[in-house]
Amino acid sequence: MTKPINLFEYESLAKEQLSSMAWDYYRSGAMDEITLHKNRTTFEQYQLYPRMLVDVSHIDLNTSILGQNLSIPIGVAPMAFQCLAHPEGEIATAKVTSNLKTLLILSTLSTTSLEEVATCQSHNLRWFQLYIHRDKGLTKALVERAELAGYTALCVTVDAPVMGRREADIRNQFSLPSPLKLANLVTMTDLTIPQTIGESGLFAYFQQQIDPSITWKDIEWLQSITKLPIVLKGILRGDDAILALKHGVKAIIVSNHGGRQLDGAISSLDALPRIITAIDNKIDVIMDGGIRRGTDIFKALALGAKMVLVGRPILWGLAVDGETGVAHILQLLRDELALAMALSGCPSLAEINESFLISPKS
């Protein structure tokens, strides 16, 4: 097999490797997939505005987030069920992020336990993504396990009090094939993704288990039971960002859940400047959604993000070539970002700013 040379080629090859149910689960968005596609097309609306005659013989990609040093401003977003893509799943992803010294956010709904993932990393550049379940005792136990295993932040997903309507999953009656399981939950409560007729099993799980009543008081409750910093994933409005600041949140991930929740919602990139203006550099801001090229990362950083997270492309890498595929995905993005910086006249991340973009409103 000829080695893919970009993320789009990985996506095409991944489709050939995955079952139709797994492919549809990973690829699809909510309803008409308007937001899913908008996440990509918004990047195309910004033009790069490079400067010349700058010494770019050395490109510095180092950054930090919540005081932790990273080798690249590219982390891995929390994604459920990675073992659907490859038997090594989350283990392969964890090994790659450890080798690259960059951030991994592990999903509550991972198919490998949070403890096992932690043992695969030589550092603690890992956060635990948390869904707040109806059973607060279960939620508290997950937080305690994450602390004990050396996770350094809790990433609370706030854009999924209920699950968006994902029609591909309904059509396929999505469920986890045996022997895959909810590795973080099965030993605690024997929770599983139910097999349902005419419905997505994951949708049924959310209806049964995830608490739709969560408010800012639940963020306060989490802060009362843990010393870990709280990161909120799914903020799209400036006023919500200000509330996050008031509630002591330490970082925000600007995200629309990869277009998988509210169809028609604003794209992550369009939401980013509003969040940056609202928080006025008081906390770190991360962005995910639609990243496929190094130039996409450059644009997100220029609009104020400290770093970006990559989701689906990691799954394509897993499906095509396991750990090696994931490593190549991140290497491609790293190299493309370094190239974009060099050709734009930006030798370091600190120098990237909005002056290097011509926005669609200009």
Side-chain angles (χ1 to χ4, degrees):
M1 180 183 72
T2 303
K3 197 170 187 178
I5 63 171
N6 59 50
L7 274 58
F8 300 104
E9 290 187 4
Y10 264 103
E11 183 174 358
S12 296
L13 290 171
K15 184 177 182 180
E16 300 171 6
Q17 301 296 320
L18 295 167
S19 69
S20 58
M21 184 179 71
W23 168 256
D24 283 345
Y25 169 71
Y26 287 149
R27 183 215 61 80
S28 65
M31 300 182 77
D32 297 313
E33 301 186 341
I34 295 167
T35 300
L36 173 68
H37 296 298
K38 187 71 172 176
N39 276 349
R40 280 295 311 140
T41 57
T42 302
F43 281 105
E44 298 167 5
Q45 294 170 11
Y46 285 84
Q47 300 176 76
L48 298 174
Y49 194 43
R51 62 182 180 183
M52 302 301 154
L53 295 173
V54 176
D55 181 358
V56 291
S57 56
H58 174 71
I59 301 296
D60 183 4
L61 295 176
N62 290 283
T63 190
S64 66
I65 201 80
L66 293 188
Q68 292 184 287
N69 295 323
L70 309 177
S71 68
I72 52 175
I74 312 164
V76 174
M79 294 171 289
F81 315 145
Q82 292 182 36
C83 287
L84 268 177
H86 189 276
E88 293 182 359
E90 292 89 358
I91 294 295
T93 305
K95 288 179 178 178
V96 171
T97 55
S98 180
N99 291 337
L100 286 177
K101 294 183 173 57
T102 196
L103 179 66
L104 168 71
I105 308 180
L106 184 73
S107 172
T108 291
L109 303 181
S110 62
T111 38
T112 309
S113 74
L114 64 91
E115 290 87 359
E116 190 175 358
V117 168
T119 64
C120 295
Q121 293 191 296
S122 59
H123 54 66
N124 61 354
L125 294 173
R126 56 180 176 273
W127 299 352
F128 183 67
Q129 178 270 333
L130 184 70
Y131 284 116
I132 298 179
H133 285 66
R134 294 176 188 267
D135 182 346
K136 291 299 193 293
L138 169 62
T139 303
K140 185 173 186 288
L142 285 169
V143 171
E144 292 170 346
R145 286 172 59 192
E147 286 183 330
L148 190 61
Y151 289 75
T152 53
L154 288 178
C155 175
V156 184
T157 295
V158 295
D159 61 6
V162 295
M163 175 160 282
R165 183 173 174 84
R166 305 171 191 174
E167 295 179 352
D169 290 347
I170 296 170
R171 188 178 302 111
N172 294 328
Q173 298 180 47
F174 175 83
S175 63
L176 272 183
S178 181
L180 299 185
K181 59 188 178 182
L182 300 178
N184 291 320
L185 301 169
V186 69
T187 58
M188 300 169 68
T189 59
D190 201 29
L191 290 181
T192 60
I193 300 297
Q195 300 252 354
T196 57
I197 297 175
E199 185 54 271
S200 157
L202 186 59
F203 182 85
Y205 177 90
F206 263 67
Q207 281 188 312
Q208 295 166 11
Q209 303 298 337
I210 304 303
D211 189 352
S213 70
I214 62 169
T215 67
W216 292 103
K217 289 184 178 179
D218 293 277
I219 304 304
E220 295 172 2
W221 171 72
L222 280 176
Q223 290 169 328
S224 75
I225 65 170
T226 183
K227 294 180 180 178
L228 294 178
I230 304 294
V231 178
L232 298 188
K233 180 179 184 292
I235 297 294
L236 293 172
R237 293 173 57 113
D239 49 2
D240 278 343
I242 291 170
L243 282 171
L245 276 173
K246 290 180 178 178
H247 284 83
V249 169
K250 301 305 182 185
I252 287 171
I253 301 175
V254 179
S255 172
N256 55 36
H257 216 105
R260 293 161 72 81
Q261 282 297 102
L262 176 63
D263 197 27
I266 188 172
S267 72
S268 297
L269 195 68
D270 275 339
L272 179 60
R274 302 162 190 253
I275 305 297
I276 296 298
T277 298
I279 59 95
D280 192 26
N281 292 318
K282 291 184 175 69
I283 56 175
D284 291 334
V285 175
I286 303 167
M287 196 212 83
D288 74 10
I291 300 288
R292 296 296 183 272
R293 288 284 192 183
T295 47
D296 299 337
I297 301 170
F298 186 96
K299 291 172 183 179
L301 299 179
L303 289 175
K306 191 75 178 289
M307 68 177 296
V308 301
L309 301 175
V310 181
R312 290 181 178 92
I314 300 299
L315 301 170
W316 309 150
L318 273 175
V320 172
D321 202 11
E323 182 181 338
T324 300
V326 173
H328 192 216
I329 289 285
L330 290 175
Q331 187 64 46
L332 284 169
L333 288 173
R334 182 200 180 282
D335 292 348
E336 289 183 5
L337 173 59
L339 178 62
M341 291 170 64
L343 294 178
S344 296
C346 276
S348 72
L349 298 178
E351 296 177 68
I352 301 175
N353 58 58
E354 200 167 357
S355 73
F356 288 91
L357 296 183
I358 296 179
S359 73
K361 297 177 183 178
S362 298

